[in-house]
């Protein structure tokens, strides 16, 4: 059955006791091939800190260190799984690059992450979603297995065929990538220009400009024939306006209002 993994996760969850009003995600593992695709989809590099929220037996964090040279942090409620993850990290010779914290993802410090991975139930994901926007640095990649986020369109989605036998999983897994966008909304002024930007996650509309794009801190838009490419950092947008004849002009805009 196509969505067996997702259905199984939901079924087990409904039979489980929730810790609070939410249903707690049970321990079901992501198949190794899917783990590798998730980390590739995130573009994981040795400079990354990969944080798996609900890290189970530690497989995502361990693969991030072993196959991508990254550092990793796993957050897991279940003490026995935390202990098992530490043993698995020792066995994989990556114990120096990874750590496992016993705790609740809802109160975990997300600050160190440059990549966040998830295989959690939608109720828990929806509680984390506002924290992703306010606490993760712009440009942080979030990759989820099986469940998406309400109202936040993924930057990419992949459907994978699973070849290795894996209890509780169907033959397909869906994975999603989001890139945390900078806060770009508001009125911006500079170089004789005034722009009003409306924002819904990474989707932006600019009054007076067209072809507006935002990916992490990187922003671009078209003003008449000229194309602006730059970065948004706090209340400053800085970059270059390139004319079709190749002339380039530095441009800085400052946020002038909400
Ligand atoms: C579906 S498993 C995923 C395990 C691993 N990330 C993987 O993909 O193989 C979800 C894990 O999240 C843990 N979990 C559920 N709710 C949690 C919470 N609020 N805080 C921390 N861990 C949680 C469960 O104990 C379980 O190990």
């Amino acid at each position: 059955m196509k969505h067996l993994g997702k259905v199984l996760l939901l079924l087990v969850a409904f039979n489980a006791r929730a810790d609070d009003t939410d249903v707690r995600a049970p321990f079901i593992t992501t198949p190794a091939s899917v783990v590798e695709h998730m980390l590739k989809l995130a573009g994981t590099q040795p400079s990354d800190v990969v944080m798996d929220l609900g890290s189970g037996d530690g497989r995502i964090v361990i693969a991030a260190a072993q196959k991508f040279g990254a550092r990793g942090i796993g957050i897991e409620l279940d003490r026995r799984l935390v202990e098992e993850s530490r043993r698995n990290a020792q066995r994989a010779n990556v114990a120096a690059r990874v750590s496992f914290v016993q705790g609740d993802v809802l109160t975990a410090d997300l600050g160190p992450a440059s990549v966040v991975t998830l295989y959690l139930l939608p109720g828990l994901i929806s509680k984390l979603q506002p924290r992703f926007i306010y606490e993760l640095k712009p440009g942080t990649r979030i990759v989820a297995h099986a469940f998406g986020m309400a109202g936040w369109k993924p930057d990419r989605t992949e459907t994978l065929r699973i070849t290795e036998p894996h209890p509780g999983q169907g033959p397909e897994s869906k994975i999603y990538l989001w890139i945390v966008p900078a806060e770009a909304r508001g009125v911006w002024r500079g170089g004789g220009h005034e722009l009003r930007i409306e924002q819904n996650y990474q989707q932006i509309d600019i009054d007076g400009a067209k072809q507006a794009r935002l990916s992490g801190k990187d922003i671009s838009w078209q003003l008449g024939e000229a194309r602006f490419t730059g970065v948004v950092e706090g209340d400053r947008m800085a970059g270059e306006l390139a004319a079709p004849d190749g002339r380039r002009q530095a441009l800085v805009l400052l946020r002038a209002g909400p």
Side-chain angles (χ1 to χ4, degrees), residues 9 24-30 52-57 59-60 75-78 81 103-106 119-120 124 145:
L9 192 65
R24 180 180 152 183
F27 175 50
I28 296 178
T29 53
T30 297
D52 187 27
L53 300 180
S55 49
D57 61 5
R59 59 183 53 210
I60 294 183
I75 313 288
E76 171 56 56
L77 266 184
D78 186 327
L81 287 172
D104 190 336
V105 296
L106 293 174
Y119 182 21
L120 294 171
L124 200 49
H145 177 200

Side-chain angles (χ1 to χ4, degrees), residues 35-49:
V35 169
E36 194 157 341
H37 271 100
M38 289 171 76
L39 293 166
K40 276 193 187 143
L41 187 60
T44 307
Q45 303 287 326
S47 55
D48 279 315
V49 176

Side-chain angles (χ1 to χ4, degrees), residues 28 35 47 50 62 69 85 122 146 155 161 165 198 204 254:
I28 296 178
V35 169
S47 55
V50 175
I62 291 169
S85 302
D155 291 277
R161 283 206 69 78
E198 307 284 344
I204 53 169
L254 300 177

Side-chain angles (χ1 to χ4, degrees), residues 31-231:
S33 63
V34 179
V35 169
E36 194 157 341
H37 271 100
M38 289 171 76
L39 293 166
K40 276 193 187 143
L41 187 60
T44 307
Q45 303 287 326
S47 55
D48 279 315
V49 176
V50 175
M51 186 177 282
D52 187 27
L53 300 180
S55 49
D57 61 5
R59 59 183 53 210
I60 294 183
V61 166
I62 291 169
Q66 209 176 26
K67 298 192 174 149
F68 296 82
R71 283 176 295 140
I73 304 170
I75 313 288
E76 171 56 56
L77 266 184
D78 186 327
R79 180 181 49 78
R80 283 163 308 136
L81 287 172
V82 170
E83 285 162 5
E84 185 184 332
S85 302
R86 290 181 182 143
R87 286 194 297 274
N88 290 341
Q90 292 279 0
R91 265 197 291 274
N93 284 321
V94 293
R97 298 194 63 73
V98 301
S99 59
F100 295 95
V101 178
Q102 187 195 353
D104 190 336
V105 296
L106 293 174
T107 54
D109 175 12
L110 306 180
S114 57
V115 173
V116 170
T117 54
L118 309 167
Y119 182 21
L120 294 171
L121 288 166
L124 200 49
I125 295 175
S126 69
K127 289 201 160 192
L128 287 162
Q129 197 170 326
R131 295 191 56 211
F132 291 156
I133 285 295
Y134 293 112
E135 295 177 39
L136 294 174
K137 297 174 279 294
T140 302
R141 292 88 78 205
I142 304 168
V143 182
H145 177 200
F147 297 106
M149 287 200 253
W152 187 357
K153 194 170 172 270
D155 291 277
R156 280 184 63 187
T157 302
E158 285 187 9
T159 304
L160 309 170
R161 283 206 69 78
I162 306 171
T163 48
E164 70 263 49
H166 196 271
Q169 291 285 339
E172 279 186 356
S173 270
K174 225 170 183 173
I175 57 175
Y176 305 88
L177 168 74
W178 298 264
I179 299 169
V180 175
E183 163 87 44
R185 69 170 55 76
V187 177
W188 296 81
R189 286 199 196 110
H193 303 284
E194 177 170 306
L195 303 176
R196 173 177 292 282
I197 304 185
E198 307 284 344
Q199 179 172 12
N200 179 32
Y201 296 98
Q202 75 275 40
Q203 294 174 296
I204 53 169
D205 271 322
I206 307 186
D207 212 15
K210 48 188 187 178
Q211 292 182 34
R213 312 224 189 296
L214 178 69
S215 177
K217 293 195 288 188
D218 298 329
I219 191 163
S220 61
W221 35 267
Q222 185 90 12
L223 199 63
E225 292 298 300
R227 180 118 198 114
F228 176 85
T229 48
V231 290

